[in-house]
Amino acid sequence: MKSRNKIKLANLTTWIMVITISVITIWFIGFVVANTFDLNVFTKRTSDFMFGFIGFSAVLILCSAILNISLNIGLIADSKVQEMKTEGSNIVGKKFYFATLIGIISLIAFLFIGDYLTRKNEKNKLVDTADYVVKTYSESIAKIAQSLTDTSKIGQIPEMLYFLSNQKSEFPSVTLLTSGKYDGQLTYLEISHWESEENLKKPLFGNSFYKCQDYDCEYIQNLFTGKTTKPLFWTEKNDYKLYYPFIEKDIKYILLFTKYQRHGKVGSY
């Protein structure tokens, strides 16, 4: 092989390594950003493809490195390496650094925009499906208020919640939040579809206290003290929650629609 062809091929393998390593670096930065800020962007298929690409890239870099070393050894033997380098182009120039920087900035912006769109889409879906369930199964939901004040019927609530949880695939569980008094103080109680009838007949539903967090404590307090009647949507990491309030006469309770979304929306599924 002629020396000129060797240097061209050596430059090509160098570019392959540089570009592949740059792509991996950009992907790694995106991976770190997505995990640091809990961004929910990519679907399972896209994530699997990226990990497969990393494996393929490692093989490509290794083969390019072996070929590059072999070619450069041949050029050294021809004693023309320095001469040919002066004729070659500068491999890592300002344009390359600038393009890499733009790529990193674009990727980070894409991740945040993708996360925002994913959460907005999930919110719309969760609200729409909750509205559908509430309207479609209003008769069953109406019985919940009666059951909360009637110990002979309270055992029906877990069955109702189980029924509601299995009507739409958009949310895997529906739980009920209500209020009670402990030593004259307002407290919050939780009833899930696996709660036993025996427990529900005990004071405070067998001490089934609901542990509120920073994001929902104020909302729940405002609802049960009459300061608000609006639903609340909350999302963090892969969790999506919709607090759907009901007020029937003096009885107040919340149906909590919960969904766990493992992957985002970029990709096939």
Short mmCIF file of all heavy atoms in Angstrom, two decimals, residues 45-77:
data_model
loop_
_atom_site.label_atom_id
_atom_site.label_comp_id
_atom_site.label_asym_id
_atom_site.label_seq_id
_atom_site.Cartn_x
_atom_site.Cartn_y
_atom_site.Cartn_z
N ARG A 45 -37.23 0.89 24.43
CA ARG A 45 -36.53 0.49 23.21
C ARG A 45 -35.37 1.45 22.91
O ARG A 45 -34.29 1.03 22.50
CB ARG A 45 -37.50 0.47 22.03
CG ARG A 45 -36.85 0.12 20.71
CD ARG A 45 -37.87 -0.11 19.62
NE ARG A 45 -38.64 -1.31 19.88
CZ ARG A 45 -39.60 -1.74 19.06
NH1 ARG A 45 -39.90 -1.08 17.96
NH2 ARG A 45 -40.26 -2.85 19.35
N THR A 46 -35.59 2.75 23.11
CA THR A 46 -34.52 3.72 22.87
C THR A 46 -33.36 3.50 23.83
O THR A 46 -32.19 3.54 23.44
CB THR A 46 -35.05 5.15 23.03
OG1 THR A 46 -36.18 5.33 22.18
CG2 THR A 46 -34.00 6.17 22.67
N SER A 47 -33.67 3.24 25.10
CA SER A 47 -32.62 3.00 26.10
C SER A 47 -31.83 1.75 25.75
O SER A 47 -30.60 1.74 25.83
CB SER A 47 -33.25 2.87 27.49
OG SER A 47 -33.94 4.04 27.84
N ASP A 48 -32.53 0.67 25.37
CA ASP A 48 -31.85 -0.57 25.00
C ASP A 48 -30.95 -0.36 23.78
O ASP A 48 -29.84 -0.91 23.69
CB ASP A 48 -32.87 -1.67 24.71
CG ASP A 48 -33.60 -2.11 25.97
OD1 ASP A 48 -33.10 -1.80 27.07
OD2 ASP A 48 -34.65 -2.76 25.85
N PHE A 49 -31.44 0.44 22.82
CA PHE A 49 -30.64 0.72 21.62
C PHE A 49 -29.35 1.46 21.98
O PHE A 49 -28.28 1.13 21.46
CB PHE A 49 -31.45 1.56 20.63
CG PHE A 49 -30.62 2.13 19.51
CD1 PHE A 49 -30.22 1.35 18.44
CD2 PHE A 49 -30.20 3.47 19.55
CE1 PHE A 49 -29.43 1.88 17.42
CE2 PHE A 49 -29.42 4.00 18.54
CZ PHE A 49 -29.03 3.21 17.47
N MET A 50 -29.46 2.43 22.88
CA MET A 50 -28.28 3.21 23.27
C MET A 50 -27.24 2.33 23.95
O MET A 50 -26.04 2.46 23.68
CB MET A 50 -28.69 4.36 24.18
CG MET A 50 -29.48 5.46 23.47
SD MET A 50 -28.63 6.14 22.03
CE MET A 50 -27.13 6.78 22.78
N PHE A 51 -27.67 1.43 24.82
CA PHE A 51 -26.71 0.54 25.48
C PHE A 51 -26.09 -0.43 24.47
O PHE A 51 -24.91 -0.77 24.57
CB PHE A 51 -27.40 -0.22 26.61
CG PHE A 51 -27.61 0.60 27.84
CD1 PHE A 51 -28.89 0.98 28.24
CD2 PHE A 51 -26.53 1.01 28.62
CE1 PHE A 51 -29.08 1.76 29.37
CE2 PHE A 51 -26.72 1.79 29.75
CZ PHE A 51 -27.99 2.17 30.13
N GLY A 52 -26.88 -0.88 23.49
CA GLY A 52 -26.32 -1.73 22.44
C GLY A 52 -25.32 -0.96 21.59
O GLY A 52 -24.28 -1.50 21.18
N PHE A 53 -25.61 0.32 21.34
CA PHE A 53 -24.70 1.17 20.57
C PHE A 53 -23.37 1.35 21.29
O PHE A 53 -22.31 1.39 20.66
CB PHE A 53 -25.35 2.53 20.32
CG PHE A 53 -24.43 3.52 19.64
CD1 PHE A 53 -24.17 3.41 18.29
CD2 PHE A 53 -23.83 4.54 20.37
CE1 PHE A 53 -23.32 4.31 17.66
CE2 PHE A 53 -22.98 5.44 19.75
CZ PHE A 53 -22.72 5.34 18.39
N ILE A 54 -23.41 1.45 22.62
CA ILE A 54 -22.18 1.59 23.39
C ILE A 54 -21.30 0.36 23.20
O ILE A 54 -20.08 0.47 23.02
CB ILE A 54 -22.50 1.78 24.90
CG1 ILE A 54 -23.24 3.10 25.12
CG2 ILE A 54 -21.21 1.76 25.73
CD1 ILE A 54 -22.50 4.33 24.69
N GLY A 55 -21.92 -0.82 23.23
CA GLY A 55 -21.15 -2.05 23.02
C GLY A 55 -20.54 -2.11 21.63
O GLY A 55 -19.37 -2.47 21.46
N PHE A 56 -21.34 -1.74 20.62
CA PHE A 56 -20.84 -1.70 19.24
C PHE A 56 -19.71 -0.69 19.10
O PHE A 56 -18.71 -0.95 18.41
CB PHE A 56 -21.99 -1.36 18.29
CG PHE A 56 -21.54 -1.08 16.88
CD1 PHE A 56 -21.19 -2.11 16.03
CD2 PHE A 56 -21.46 0.23 16.42
CE1 PHE A 56 -20.76 -1.85 14.73
CE2 PHE A 56 -21.04 0.50 15.13
CZ PHE A 56 -20.69 -0.54 14.28
N SER A 57 -19.84 0.46 19.74
CA SER A 57 -18.83 1.51 19.67
C SER A 57 -17.51 1.04 20.26
O SER A 57 -16.43 1.37 19.75
CB SER A 57 -19.31 2.76 20.40
OG SER A 57 -20.49 3.27 19.79
N ALA A 58 -17.58 0.29 21.35
CA ALA A 58 -16.36 -0.21 21.98
C ALA A 58 -15.59 -1.11 21.02
O ALA A 58 -14.35 -1.03 20.91
CB ALA A 58 -16.70 -0.96 23.26
N VAL A 59 -16.32 -1.98 20.32
CA VAL A 59 -15.69 -2.87 19.33
C VAL A 59 -15.11 -2.05 18.18
O VAL A 59 -13.98 -2.30 17.71
CB VAL A 59 -16.71 -3.89 18.80
CG1 VAL A 59 -16.08 -4.73 17.68
CG2 VAL A 59 -17.19 -4.79 19.92
N LEU A 60 -15.85 -1.03 17.72
CA LEU A 60 -15.40 -0.18 16.61
C LEU A 60 -14.12 0.58 16.99
O LEU A 60 -13.18 0.67 16.18
CB LEU A 60 -16.50 0.80 16.23
CG LEU A 60 -16.23 1.72 15.04
CD1 LEU A 60 -16.04 0.90 13.77
CD2 LEU A 60 -17.37 2.72 14.85
N ILE A 61 -14.07 1.11 18.20
CA ILE A 61 -12.88 1.84 18.66
C ILE A 61 -11.68 0.91 18.75
O ILE A 61 -10.56 1.27 18.34
CB ILE A 61 -13.17 2.51 20.02
CG1 ILE A 61 -14.18 3.64 19.86
CG2 ILE A 61 -11.88 3.05 20.64
CD1 ILE A 61 -14.65 4.23 21.16
N LEU A 62 -11.90 -0.29 19.28
CA LEU A 62 -10.80 -1.25 19.42
C LEU A 62 -10.23 -1.63 18.05
O LEU A 62 -8.99 -1.63 17.85
CB LEU A 62 -11.30 -2.50 20.15
CG LEU A 62 -10.27 -3.63 20.33
CD1 LEU A 62 -9.09 -3.13 21.17
CD2 LEU A 62 -10.91 -4.84 20.98
N CYS A 63 -11.12 -1.94 17.09
CA CYS A 63 -10.65 -2.31 15.74
C CYS A 63 -9.94 -1.14 15.06
O CYS A 63 -8.90 -1.32 14.41
CB CYS A 63 -11.84 -2.77 14.89
SG CYS A 63 -12.60 -4.31 15.46
N SER A 64 -10.48 0.07 15.22
CA SER A 64 -9.87 1.25 14.62
C SER A 64 -8.50 1.53 15.23
O SER A 64 -7.55 1.90 14.52
CB SER A 64 -10.77 2.48 14.82
OG SER A 64 -12.01 2.29 14.17
N ALA A 65 -8.38 1.32 16.54
CA ALA A 65 -7.10 1.54 17.21
C ALA A 65 -6.04 0.57 16.73
O ALA A 65 -4.89 0.95 16.47
CB ALA A 65 -7.29 1.42 18.73
N ILE A 66 -6.43 -0.69 16.59
CA ILE A 66 -5.47 -1.71 16.10
C ILE A 66 -5.01 -1.38 14.69
O ILE A 66 -3.81 -1.43 14.37
CB ILE A 66 -6.12 -3.11 16.16
CG1 ILE A 66 -6.37 -3.51 17.62
CG2 ILE A 66 -5.22 -4.14 15.46
CD1 ILE A 66 -7.14 -4.81 17.77
N LEU A 67 -5.98 -1.02 13.82
CA LEU A 67 -5.63 -0.68 12.44
C LEU A 67 -4.79 0.58 12.39
O LEU A 67 -3.81 0.66 11.62
CB LEU A 67 -6.92 -0.50 11.63
CG LEU A 67 -6.74 -0.14 10.14
CD1 LEU A 67 -5.94 -1.22 9.43
CD2 LEU A 67 -8.10 0.03 9.48
N ASN A 68 -5.13 1.56 13.21
CA ASN A 68 -4.38 2.82 13.24
C ASN A 68 -2.94 2.60 13.66
O ASN A 68 -2.00 3.14 13.07
CB ASN A 68 -5.07 3.80 14.18
CG ASN A 68 -4.45 5.18 14.15
OD1 ASN A 68 -3.51 5.45 14.88
ND2 ASN A 68 -4.97 6.05 13.30
N ILE A 69 -2.76 1.77 14.68
CA ILE A 69 -1.39 1.47 15.16
C ILE A 69 -0.59 0.76 14.07
O ILE A 69 0.58 1.09 13.82
CB ILE A 69 -1.45 0.62 16.44
CG1 ILE A 69 -2.02 1.45 17.59
CG2 ILE A 69 -0.07 0.10 16.81
CD1 ILE A 69 -2.32 0.64 18.84
N SER A 70 -1.22 -0.18 13.41
CA SER A 70 -0.54 -0.93 12.36
C SER A 70 -0.12 -0.01 11.21
O SER A 70 1.01 -0.09 10.70
CB SER A 70 -1.46 -2.04 11.83
OG SER A 70 -1.81 -2.93 12.85
N LEU A 71 -1.01 0.89 10.83
CA LEU A 71 -0.71 1.80 9.74
C LEU A 71 0.41 2.77 10.11
O LEU A 71 1.31 3.05 9.29
CB LEU A 71 -1.97 2.59 9.35
CG LEU A 71 -3.07 1.76 8.67
CD1 LEU A 71 -4.36 2.57 8.59
CD2 LEU A 71 -2.63 1.33 7.27
N ASN A 72 0.38 3.27 11.32
CA ASN A 72 1.42 4.20 11.74
C ASN A 72 2.78 3.53 11.86
O ASN A 72 3.81 4.15 11.60
CB ASN A 72 1.04 4.85 13.07
CG ASN A 72 0.09 6.02 12.87
OD1 ASN A 72 0.48 7.08 12.39
ND2 ASN A 72 -1.18 5.81 13.21
N ILE A 73 2.77 2.27 12.25
CA ILE A 73 4.04 1.52 12.29
C ILE A 73 4.60 1.40 10.87
O ILE A 73 5.81 1.57 10.63
CB ILE A 73 3.83 0.13 12.91
CG1 ILE A 73 3.55 0.27 14.41
CG2 ILE A 73 5.05 -0.75 12.67
CD1 ILE A 73 3.22 -1.04 15.09
N GLY A 74 3.69 1.16 9.90
CA GLY A 74 4.14 1.08 8.50
C GLY A 74 4.67 2.40 8.01
O GLY A 74 5.66 2.46 7.27
N LEU A 75 4.04 3.51 8.43
CA LEU A 75 4.50 4.83 8.01
C LEU A 75 5.85 5.18 8.63
O LEU A 75 6.71 5.81 7.98
CB LEU A 75 3.46 5.88 8.41
CG LEU A 75 2.15 5.85 7.60
CD1 LEU A 75 1.12 6.76 8.24
CD2 LEU A 75 2.41 6.26 6.16
N ILE A 76 6.01 4.76 9.87
CA ILE A 76 7.32 5.01 10.50
C ILE A 76 8.41 4.25 9.77
O ILE A 76 9.51 4.76 9.55
CB ILE A 76 7.28 4.59 11.99
CG1 ILE A 76 6.35 5.53 12.76
CG2 ILE A 76 8.68 4.57 12.61
CD1 ILE A 76 6.09 5.09 14.19
N ALA A 77 8.08 3.04 9.37
CA ALA A 77 9.06 2.24 8.62
C ALA A 77 9.39 2.90 7.29
O ALA A 77 10.51 2.78 6.79
CB ALA A 77 8.51 0.84 8.39
#
